[in-house]
């Protein structure tokens, strides 16, 4: 069942979570922290938003302002990666994480 609201905002003690559904093509989660956190803490948040599953850290791409992880099998329960999920961790100048964006795309 579709929701009449494709964007929702949730305020938490340590940050704000915005969820957005883009039709049937993708779902996007954006988590912005009020105070930067460590990469380890950020990956714990990513795992929670990814229904308890870890992103494959071997697929990471490090850029000056962000770390990008790509993952997700083509079929549910499948082993063949299709890179249908992407998590971006946004870096501060001292390499702390100030925000996360996760996009889950439909094949």
């Amino acid at each position: 069942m579709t929701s009449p609201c494709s964007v929702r905002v949730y305020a938490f003690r340590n940050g704000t979570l915005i969820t957005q559904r883009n039709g049937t093509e993708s779902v996007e989660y954006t988590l912005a922290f009020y105070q930067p956190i460590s990469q380890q803490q950020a990956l714990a948040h990513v795992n929670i938003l990814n229904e308890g599953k870890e992103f494959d850290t071997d697929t990471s791409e490090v850029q000056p302002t962000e770390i990008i992880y790509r993952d997700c099998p083509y079929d549910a329960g499948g082993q063949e990666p299709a890179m249908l999920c992407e998590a971006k961790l946004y870096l501060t100048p001292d390499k702390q994480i100030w925000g996360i964006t996760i996009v889950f795309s439909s094949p």
Side-chain angles (χ1 to χ4, degrees):
M1 174 179 259
T2 61
S3 170
C5 188
S6 63
V7 176
R8 294 186 180 199
V9 179
Y10 303 91
F12 296 97
R13 182 173 51 108
N14 297 330
T16 301
L17 173 66
I18 300 170
T19 64
Q20 181 174 349
R21 184 175 27 83
N22 302 311
T24 59
E25 291 117 30
S26 67
V27 175
E28 182 174 319
Y29 298 100
T30 302
L31 183 56
F33 301 104
Y34 300 136
Q35 296 292 324
I37 62 173
S38 70
Q39 184 175 343
Q40 182 179 1
Q41 290 171 311
L43 287 173
H45 285 81
V46 167
N47 293 346
I48 291 168
L49 293 172
N50 194 25
E51 299 178 352
K53 299 177 211 135
E54 293 183 13
F55 270 76
D56 183 1
T57 54
D58 292 337
T59 64
S60 66
E61 175 185 332
V62 179
Q63 298 181 359
T65 59
E66 61 193 21
I67 301 171
I68 303 169
Y69 297 93
R70 293 181 179 91
D71 207 350
C72 291
Y74 184 75
D75 291 317
Q79 298 300 316
E80 183 180 332
M83 306 308 174
L84 296 173
C85 304
E86 180 178 85
K88 289 184 181 181
L89 282 59
Y90 299 103
L91 300 169
T92 64
D94 63 348
K95 304 302 181 204
Q96 294 285 304
I97 308 299
W98 66 264
I100 299 168
T101 298
I102 301 176
V103 178
F104 299 97
S105 300
S106 297

